[in-house]
């Protein structure tokens, strides 16, 4: 019977065959312990000299790291391993012998590992991070589908900027100029007017010369957009969504969280509602915390976000930023027009901003005024104005950065480990 490591609990006491690679190995004169991986998980297989033929034992003793095989044996309980089972091997069929695998069990430097990302992905730690990433994606689709949202796919090749002109990747679109999308938001607004509640999930591109543990050049964003939803209602949707993905990861990724030695007590507490602090109060808090130079009107950097997050053991919304430091499309607070109806959601433990969101301007004249202030001219923006001309409604939306969320839930330091093939300031390989 052919099966996978993830399924072995169903085969206790039975003989099965698994297609696997050798992750690691230990052997003595009479016994060999093979650490197998098959993509679905990791499992130990035990080869006892007295129980197999000589050829099988010699193969087990000499098999090299990352060689591939079909391995057959009986599944038995093993309470010491995280999986709970191991295999007592009967026979091994070598498929391919791997020679001089570059990533050995010893410590390697980050640049070396990044140069071998195509192989590094096979390691137990990277496997765990990718599984957590996958669970967040799965839970995202589940959450939005269960709540009546339609998935809509905005274009990646666009004629204009969505968030600001400085971070655009330029390309030619035949004879025209085009840019890789920084955000699907503007298109999602059009989609919300057609379908009510929508969400997107796709790659976005920022030509930012930032080299921090939170910045990728290419990252994946989940962007919901809702018609007839005001700012406060949007915050409730955001906290429910984030709670849902945290609880899904806790429920379905226990093995991976253990592999990563993640402190799950910190994640178990993450339940809606989340605290809110206004930008004004955040400035006061920062001054109290020793950031004496910060002035009202300045944007927050990573140290500021971390300091604010430290005051809460939950993700925290920083709301109502000054209009001058936020995007052109954000709706002014009706009680004072120097701040806008927006919020950034800051993750705990120093992982920084994971969501940026806002209520959007729905008034045509005000949007036209913003266009002028921001120098947004040309036909590329005309369709967006038309959304305010034909049945404009209050609407809100937000963008969750997938990689920063994966970093937070996995407890990994740097976003480069949260995406299969990271695009960084100085890295386009592999
Ligand atoms: O705050 P941002 O720029 O918001 C937008 O793009 C809005 N148009 C979203 C919307 O309202 N539909 O980006 C949203 C999130 C950030 O909070 C962060 O998590 C992530 O995207 N992000 C990045 N992640 C990795 N590398 C980068 N360079 C990122 N820039 C933003
Ligand atoms: Mg932002």
């Amino acid at each position: 019977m052919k099966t996978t490591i993830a399924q072995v609990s169903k085969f206790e006491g039975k003989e099965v065959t698994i297609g696997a690679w050798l992750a690691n190995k230990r052997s003595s004169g009479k016994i060999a312990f093979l650490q197998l991986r098959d993509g679905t998980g990791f499992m130990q297989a035990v080869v006892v000299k007295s129980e197999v033929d000589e050829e099988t034992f010699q193969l087990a003793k000499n098999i090299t790291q990352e060689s591939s095989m079909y391995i057959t044996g009986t599944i038995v309980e093993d309470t010491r391993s995280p999986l709970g089972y191991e295999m007592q091997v009967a026979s091994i069929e070598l498929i391919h012998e791997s020679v001089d695998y570059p990533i050995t069990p010893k410590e390697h430097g980050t640049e070396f590992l990044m140069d071998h990302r195509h192989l590094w992905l096979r390691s137990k730690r990277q496997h765990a991070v990718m599984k957590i990433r996958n669970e967040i994606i799965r839970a995202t689709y589940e959450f939005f589908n269960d709540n009546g949202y339609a998935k809509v796919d905005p274009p990646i090749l666009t004629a204009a900027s969505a968030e600001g002109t400085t971070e655009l990747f330029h390309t030619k679109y035949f004879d025209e100029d085009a840019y890789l999308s920084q955000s699907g938001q503007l298109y999602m607004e059009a989609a919300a007017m057609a379908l009510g509640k929508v969400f997107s999930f796709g790659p976005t591109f920022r030509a930012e010369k930032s080299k921090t543990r939170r910045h990728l050049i290419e990252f994946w964003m989940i962007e919901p957009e809702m018609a007839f939803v005001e700012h406060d209602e949007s915050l409730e949707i955001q906290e429910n969504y984030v709670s849902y993905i945290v609880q899904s990861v806790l429920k379905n990724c226990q093995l991976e969280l253990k592999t990563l030695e993640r402190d799950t007590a910190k994640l178990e507490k993450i339940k809606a509602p989340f605290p809110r602090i206004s930008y004004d109060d955040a400035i006061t808090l920062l001054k109290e915390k020793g950031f004496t130079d910060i002035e009202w009107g300045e944007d927050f950097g990573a140290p500021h976000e971390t300091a604010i997050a430290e005051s809460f053991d939950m993700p925290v919304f920083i709301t109502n930023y000054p209009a001058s430091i936020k995007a052109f499309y954000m709706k002014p607070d009706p009680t004072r027009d120097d701040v806008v109806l927006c919020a950034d959601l800051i993750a705990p433990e120093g992982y920084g901003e994971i969501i940026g969101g806002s209520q959007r301007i729905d008034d045509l004249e005000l949007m036209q005024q913003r266009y002028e202030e921001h120098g947004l001219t040309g036909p590329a923006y005309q369709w967006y104005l038309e959304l305010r001309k034909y049945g404009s409604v209050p609407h809100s939306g937000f963008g969750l950065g997938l990689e920063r969320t994966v970093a937070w839930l996995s407890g990994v330091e740097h976003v480069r480990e949260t995406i299969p093939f990271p695009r960084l300031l100085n890295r386009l390989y592999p």
Side-chain angles (χ1 to χ4, degrees):
M1 181 74 189
K2 208 166 167 185
T3 189
T4 59
I5 292 174
Q7 299 290 321
V8 291
S9 64
K10 295 182 186 148
F11 294 96
E12 199 189 333
K14 303 226 164 64
E15 189 170 281
V16 296
T17 298
I18 294 175
W21 292 266
L22 185 81
N24 203 352
K25 178 188 71 184
R26 253 176 335 110
S27 65
S28 68
K30 293 196 172 83
I31 193 160
F33 297 99
L34 309 181
Q35 303 304 326
L36 303 178
R37 55 169 206 90
D38 78 336
T40 74
F42 291 77
M43 182 180 75
Q44 174 164 278
V46 187
V47 192
V48 181
K49 190 173 195 301
S50 58
E51 286 171 17
V52 294
D53 58 42
E54 186 55 25
E55 201 186 330
T56 302
F57 191 69
Q58 285 310 319
L59 178 58
K61 263 191 87 160
N62 297 317
I63 194 165
T64 51
Q65 194 188 349
E66 287 305 314
S67 288
S68 51
M69 69 195 96
Y70 283 120
I71 187 162
T72 301
T74 305
I75 301 302
V76 294
E77 206 182 357
D78 171 28
T79 49
R80 290 154 305 173
S81 81
L83 184 71
Y85 298 91
E86 64 178 23
M87 177 189 272
Q88 283 173 350
V89 177
S91 65
I92 301 170
E93 181 194 330
L94 185 68
I95 300 172
H96 181 253
E97 188 182 359
S98 158
V99 180
D100 296 334
Y101 187 67
I103 305 177
T104 56
K106 69 163 195 188
E107 291 266 317
H108 294 282
T110 303
E111 284 309 301
F112 178 87
L113 290 170
M114 293 294 287
D115 285 340
H116 294 86
R117 183 66 179 166
H118 50 297
L119 303 176
W120 188 26
L121 276 175
R122 302 178 184 193
S123 78
K124 204 168 188 175
R125 175 180 159 92
Q126 299 309 313
H127 181 267
V129 177
M130 288 306 126
K131 294 281 276 200
I132 289 173
R133 179 183 171 103
N134 181 60
E135 175 59 20
I136 297 171
I137 296 167
R138 192 202 62 75
T140 293
Y141 278 79
E142 189 170 81
F143 178 85
F144 288 111
N145 282 317
D146 287 355
N147 285 286
Y149 288 67
K151 170 136 191 298
V152 170
D153 306 314
I156 288 172
L157 286 167
T158 61
S161 128
E163 283 295 304
T165 48
T166 53
E167 306 170 350
L168 288 171
F169 272 104
H170 176 250
T171 182
K172 285 311 276 187
Y173 190 77
F174 306 107
D175 293 335
E176 288 177 66
D177 287 313
Y179 307 93
L180 299 185
S181 175
Q182 294 163 305
S183 159
Q185 180 197 318
L186 308 190
Y187 294 96
M188 296 309 286
E189 289 183 52
M193 301 307 140
L195 292 145
K197 294 198 284 184
V198 292
F199 76 105
S200 69
F201 172 52
T204 42
F205 306 86
R206 305 245 170 131
E208 263 179 287
K209 295 253 155 76
S210 306
K211 204 176 173 182
T212 79
R213 67 188 190 91
R214 296 172 181 178
H215 284 90
L216 290 161
I217 304 298
E218 177 179 301
F219 67 97
W220 286 64
M221 194 160 32
I222 291 121
E223 293 190 275
E225 192 73 32
M226 299 80 67
F228 307 105
V229 166
E230 314 259 352
H231 179 56
D232 289 341
E233 297 170 280
S234 174
L235 295 189
E236 283 173 29
I237 294 164
Q238 293 172 47
E239 64 198 2
N240 287 333
Y241 166 48
V242 171
S243 304
Y244 191 80
I245 54 183
V246 175
Q247 297 306 320
S248 297
V249 166
L250 281 169
K251 187 163 153 230
N252 299 321
C253 298
Q254 277 303 322
L255 216 54
E256 289 78 13
L257 292 166
K258 204 173 278 171
T259 297
L260 295 165
E261 296 173 5
R262 182 69 171 99
D263 179 356
T264 50
K266 291 207 171 95
L267 298 180
E268 266 146 28
K269 284 191 283 206
I270 310 298
K271 291 202 175 116
F274 298 161
R276 290 133 169 80
I277 180 172
S278 69
Y279 173 89
D280 291 358
D281 290 345
I283 290 280
T284 309
L285 179 68
L286 286 171
K287 284 192 189 289
E288 281 166 17
K289 288 190 159 241
F291 292 89
T292 46
D293 311 338
I294 188 129
E295 300 280 355
W296 195 96
E298 284 174 30
D299 207 357
F300 296 147
H304 304 115
E305 287 176 359
T306 302
I308 296 164
E310 271 168 9
S311 301
F312 306 89
D313 53 7
M314 284 275 187
V316 52
F317 288 111
I318 306 176
T319 67
N320 298 48
Y321 281 74
S324 55
I325 53 171
K326 287 292 181 188
F328 71 92
Y329 50 72
M330 293 188 184
K331 187 179 172 100
D333 185 322
T335 64
R336 51 184 276 216
D337 63 10
D338 59 339
V339 299
V340 282
L341 296 177
C342 73
D344 284 354
L345 183 67
I346 313 298
E349 302 175 67
Y351 287 95
E353 179 199 323
I354 54 168
I355 291 184
S358 62
Q359 183 161 345
R360 325 305 193 184
I361 292 173
D362 49 52
D363 179 72
L364 179 63
E365 261 175 53
L366 180 58
M367 189 60 93
Q368 275 166 331
Q369 188 187 319
R370 285 284 189 273
Y371 268 31
E372 274 162 37
E373 289 162 9
H374 286 82
L376 306 175
T377 50
Y381 289 98
Q382 283 314 306
W383 64 265
Y384 188 67
L385 283 183
E386 289 185 15
L387 303 178
R388 278 80 188 158
K389 204 169 156 192
Y390 304 112
S392 193
V393 300
H395 63 289
S396 304
F398 61 94
L400 173 129
L402 177 62
E403 289 76 17
R404 291 189 191 173
T405 308
V406 176
W408 168 40
L409 299 187
S410 307
V412 306
E413 179 75 11
H414 199 295
V415 288
R416 67 181 162 228
E417 288 185 61
T418 64
I419 183 164
F421 295 98
R423 297 306 177 226
L424 300 164
L425 199 49
N426 297 313
R427 181 170 292 280
L428 193 56
Y429 178 92

